[in-house]
Amino acid sequence: MNYSPTANPPQVRLLPSRQRSLTVLLATLLWTLLLSFGWKGTYTELLLQTSTAAISALITFCLFEQWPRNLPQRLPRWVIQVVGVAISIPLTLLILSPALTEPGALPLWQDHSRHWSFLLIAVTGMLFGPWLAMSALLRQRDIAVREQAQFFERQRGALEHQALNARLRLLQSQVAPHFLFNTLANVQELVESSSPQAPALLNNLIAYLRAAVPKLESEQSTVEQELTLVQAYLGLMQMRMPDRLEFSINAGDEVRSQSCLPMSLMSLVENAVRHGIDPSEEGGRIDIEIKLEQGLCIATITDSGIGIQDNSNSLGTGLATLRERLQLTYGDSAGLRLIDQQPTGLCAELLFPAEEQI
């Protein structure tokens, strides 16, 4: 037997477990029943001897499971347990024999008529007891192996979770500078245009940044929070280009409480403004619609801007980061699709699992 609880006994327990006690009880009843067919004394005496020997064997098994604490490396603990069980049975019968000897009768070792009964119980017990002990050890080994496998599985899951969180934090940290740089670019355009609305717009932009920046560090957001941010952003952009930007937001109350990735909707709307509406001389319109469908939360951001240009790679970084964050957070149950619109424009469709409504 390769398994050896020798070096580190699993747990110090002075009393046998309920399962072990029940197993020994059933085994004792079966043992007694088999011996009763050739037994010449009273059944009470037989049951007393078998049950006492069984209890002694069980206590011996449990005792050597935890004592002595340290054993020679070449001496497996299970050997001591099995041998101890085998020896404890005849030893218990010898110790018990004076109590079963009637006053004035010969002791067991001198009474030849009782030798057969003693040998019958002792020999069958020495055959039956170690076999039962080996079965218990094998079961104990299987439990230990299973618990160890579960422990390693939990450890692996914890490490994977830590790696996932680290990756998400890294991607989240990439969102912040990307967002801030784009916002600063808008400020630069305001200053360069010398618009009379620039001071008011700049003040609103500062207030907006104060509200938005803390959300960059959040691990989770809601659709409602994202839409609040999006509406504030589009309001600012509308002040900057009042004749060239229109927008609408359509989202029911049932979707506003849904959890979503921070800055996910904001990234798509920002792309629509910066790479769709802004480069277009006529400007355009952005329509945002969010709905629940078949267990998914579907956000559609449609703009009538210039659409995807063949020589443009400007959509790459932000959307690639968003796609990776979706994959790490939701797996294959989330996705991001870009659909070219005719005659012009782009539709970004964001899908992620919806939470069950209580």
Side-chain angles (χ1 to χ4, degrees):
M1 180 181 295
N2 295 327
Y3 165 68
S4 171
T6 14
N8 297 302
Q11 191 175 2
V12 176
R13 301 183 62 177
L14 298 178
L15 296 177
S17 65
R18 181 181 177 183
Q19 185 174 6
R20 284 181 178 177
S21 301
L22 183 60
T23 302
V24 170
L25 174 62
L26 295 176
T28 302
L29 292 177
L30 178 61
W31 183 25
T32 306
L33 179 63
L34 294 176
L35 292 178
S36 65
F37 293 106
W39 187 252
K40 295 180 181 177
T42 64
Y43 292 121
T44 303
E45 182 182 345
L46 173 61
L47 182 59
L48 177 62
Q49 293 186 73
T50 54
S51 58
T52 305
I55 293 172
S56 174
L58 176 59
I59 293 176
T60 302
F61 181 85
C62 295
L63 175 65
F64 286 135
E65 188 178 43
Q66 53 195 286
W67 181 85
R69 297 290 298 177
N70 299 313
L71 288 175
Q73 191 171 5
R74 295 183 178 179
L75 179 58
R77 184 172 292 275
W78 68 268
V79 172
I80 297 180
Q81 289 180 269
V82 173
V83 173
V85 167
I87 294 176
S88 68
I89 293 174
L91 188 60
T92 302
L93 294 175
L94 286 174
I95 296 173
L96 185 64
S97 64
L100 299 176
T101 303
E102 296 181 357
L106 294 173
L108 174 62
W109 53 88
Q110 293 180 355
D111 188 352
H112 297 293
S113 61
R114 297 168 59 192
H115 287 175
W116 166 250
S117 301
F118 172 80
L119 291 175
L120 180 64
I121 300 176
V123 171
T124 54
M126 292 177 68
L127 293 175
F128 196 42
W131 175 81
L132 198 61
M134 290 289 290
S135 300
L137 287 168
L138 288 173
R139 186 175 181 278
Q140 183 176 317
R141 182 200 60 177
D142 292 341
I143 292 174
V145 170
R146 188 163 54 249
E147 288 179 347
Q148 191 173 43
Q150 291 173 349
F151 172 77
F152 286 145
E153 183 64 24
R154 289 195 296 270
Q155 288 285 89
R156 188 176 68 85
L159 290 174
E160 287 180 352
H161 185 67
Q162 289 177 5
L164 177 64
N165 285 339
R167 181 61 182 160
L168 279 172
R169 283 195 295 271
L170 176 62
L171 291 172
Q172 188 82 356
S173 67
Q174 292 175 356
V175 172
H178 183 264
F179 168 76
L180 292 175
F181 286 145
N182 285 346
T183 305
L184 289 174
N186 288 325
V187 173
Q188 183 181 18
E189 291 173 3
L190 286 173
V191 173
E192 290 176 352
S193 64
S194 300
S195 168
Q197 291 184 322
L201 184 56
L202 191 56
N203 288 334
N204 289 334
L205 194 57
I206 292 172
Y208 164 72
L209 285 176
R210 282 177 179 164
V213 169
K215 297 183 184 302
L216 298 176
E217 302 297 330
S218 300
E219 295 181 358
Q220 195 61 268
S221 180
T222 63
V223 172
E224 174 70 21
Q225 291 171 329
E226 283 288 292
L227 288 181
T228 301
L229 204 59
V230 164
Q231 188 156 13
Y233 173 78
L234 287 175
L236 285 171
M237 294 302 102
Q238 202 172 41
M239 289 180 67
R240 185 170 67 84
M241 39 186 177
D243 300 327
R244 296 198 305 123
L245 174 61
E246 295 180 350
F247 68 91
S248 69
I249 297 177
N250 182 17
D253 294 337
E254 69 278 6
V255 299
R256 290 180 177 268
S257 60
Q258 292 288 324
S259 298
C260 68
L261 285 179
M263 305 301 291
S264 54
L265 298 180
M266 185 65 207
S267 297
L268 296 176
V269 172
E270 189 183 36
N271 268 326
V273 172
R274 186 169 181 79
H275 305 294
I277 303 298
D278 222 5
S280 171
E281 294 182 0
E282 297 82 11
R285 177 180 181 84
I286 296 176
D287 294 304
I288 302 168
E289 181 180 12
I290 306 176
K291 60 183 178 180
L292 297 178
E293 189 173 304
Q294 297 180 348
L296 291 174
C297 193
I298 304 175
T300 306
I301 294 93
T302 306
D303 72 76
S304 58
I306 62 172
I308 298 177
Q309 300 300 299
D310 294 338
N311 59 351
S312 172
N313 58 0
S314 55
L315 298 179
T317 304
L319 296 186
T321 301
L322 178 57
R323 279 197 173 101
E324 188 169 358
R325 293 172 64 208
L326 288 170
Q327 177 66 31
L328 291 174
T329 305
Y330 302 111
D332 295 334
S333 53
L336 173 62
R337 293 185 295 194
L338 298 180
I339 306 166
D340 201 15
Q341 299 294 290
Q342 296 299 328
T344 61
L346 184 68
C347 174
E349 193 174 60
L350 175 67
L351 305 93
F352 54 93
E355 298 170 339
E356 293 185 6
Q357 300 290 324
I358 299 176

